[in-house]
Amino acid sequence: MNKKLVVMDHPLIQHKLTFLRDKNTGSKQFRELVSEIAMLMCYEATRDLPLKEVITETPMMKATTKVIAGRKLAFVPILRAGLGMVDGVLSLIPAAKVGHIGMYRDPETHQPVDYYCKLPSDLEQRDVIVLDPMLATGGSAIDAVDKIKKFNPRSIKFMCIIAAPEGVEAFTTAHPDVEVYCAGLDDKLNDHCYILPGLGDAGDRIFGTK
Ligand code: PRP
Ligand code: URA
């Protein structure tokens, strides 16, 4: 599989993913799990943030220590389901800005339909992490990143919880410069472009709309 794909196999993430997939998991627990998994994934996905040295006075002495080197981040959830990941990532990086891209898949064509876009005005100074639990055909993620690139951010990463091989192939072909992080790389899409084994419809399970 593509070099630009990172599958996060940490035991805590894999454990929580099992309960997320379970059809008997209700909306409240589903939301909590999406948020927790997003937080754990964000911890890994920000491993390359640059550090700088500062002098800190401990109760014992002065020491040379490290802080994040003023790197500015923006999270961009793809509505609706991406909203479920926002609290988790903000709990780690509360100073990040949050943009929103609204799109849904047409049920017949499976093509993304845009309905909203509001991004931080200083995106060219920011590293962007796009959030969406599901990468199925890749259409929504490809369109979202197309939009974001028009604002010239410093870098873009795409973070999903479950990816289909078809979506990874399409996305990394369209955006070879964007690294993809997922918790599970599943088998394939079904005839309705749902991921198998997947977890069903992420937006409906987060918001209880089915
Ligand atoms: C889901 C999901 C992704 C998209 C993935 O959203 O959250 O945005 O489908 O499919 P793709 O890779 O084939 O484009 P959906 O269209 O169901 O909208 P929702 O989040 O509002 O429920
Ligand atoms: N969107 C979802 O929510 N689930 C899928 O399996 C595919 C697209």
Side-chain angles (χ1 to χ4, degrees):
M1 189 47 79
N2 198 288
K3 283 202 288 288
K4 286 282 180 183
L5 175 71
V6 179
V7 182
M8 294 190 176
D9 57 1
H10 192 287
L12 285 175
I13 295 178
Q14 294 305 311
H15 180 84
K16 289 176 191 294
L17 182 56
T18 292
F19 292 96
L20 195 68
R21 290 184 189 276
D22 189 332
K23 69 175 184 183
N24 296 313
T25 298
S27 281
K28 176 177 181 289
Q29 196 193 354
F30 191 91
R31 275 196 295 271
E32 289 166 359
L33 286 164
V34 167
S35 183
E36 289 165 5
I37 292 171
M39 181 189 64
L40 293 168
M41 292 183 73
C42 181
Y43 176 78
E44 263 313 300
T46 52
R47 179 175 281 283
D48 59 355
L49 281 179
L51 293 169
K52 67 176 182 189
E53 291 190 340
V54 293
I55 304 295
T56 304
E57 224 173 316
T58 79
M60 312 302 289
M61 59 179 282
K62 280 188 180 171
T64 304
T65 57
K66 291 172 184 165
V67 294
I68 289 169
R71 201 80 177 190
K72 290 178 165 182
L73 278 172
F75 295 114
V76 180
I78 303 178
L79 309 184
R80 289 176 299 166
L83 283 177
M85 300 171 77
V86 174
D87 281 357
V89 296
L90 283 181
S91 67
L92 284 189
I93 309 179
K97 291 203 174 170
V98 182
H100 294 87
I101 292 183
M103 49 180 62
Y104 67 89
R105 288 199 318 180
D106 181 285
E108 301 297 323
T109 65
H110 311 303
Q111 295 302 306
V113 181
D114 301 0
Y115 60 86
Y116 189 72
C117 181
K118 182 78 180 172
L119 298 171
S121 55
D122 59 351
L123 215 58
E124 73 286 347
Q125 298 168 31
R126 292 186 180 265
D127 296 301
V128 172
I129 302 182
V130 184
L131 307 171
D132 192 329
M134 309 303 277
L135 182 68
T137 65
S140 306
I142 291 169
D143 269 24
V145 171
D146 280 342
K147 281 187 196 308
I148 293 167
K149 279 187 172 172
K150 294 198 175 107
F151 292 79
N152 280 322
R154 269 200 313 226
S155 71
I156 306 177
K157 292 178 178 175
F158 180 77
M159 208 170 97
C160 59
I161 295 180
I162 296 183
E166 296 90 330
V168 173
E169 183 62 33
F171 183 84
T172 53
T173 301
H175 295 296
D177 52 323
V178 177
E179 212 165 358
V180 178
Y181 293 85
C182 72
L185 178 61
D186 277 12
D187 297 344
K188 58 179 180 178
L189 300 176
N190 72 6
D191 293 343
H192 303 287
C193 292
Y194 272 81
I195 301 174
L196 298 177
L199 50 70
D201 188 303
D204 283 342
R205 294 194 67 184
I206 290 171
F207 296 108
T209 44
K210 198 137 213 169

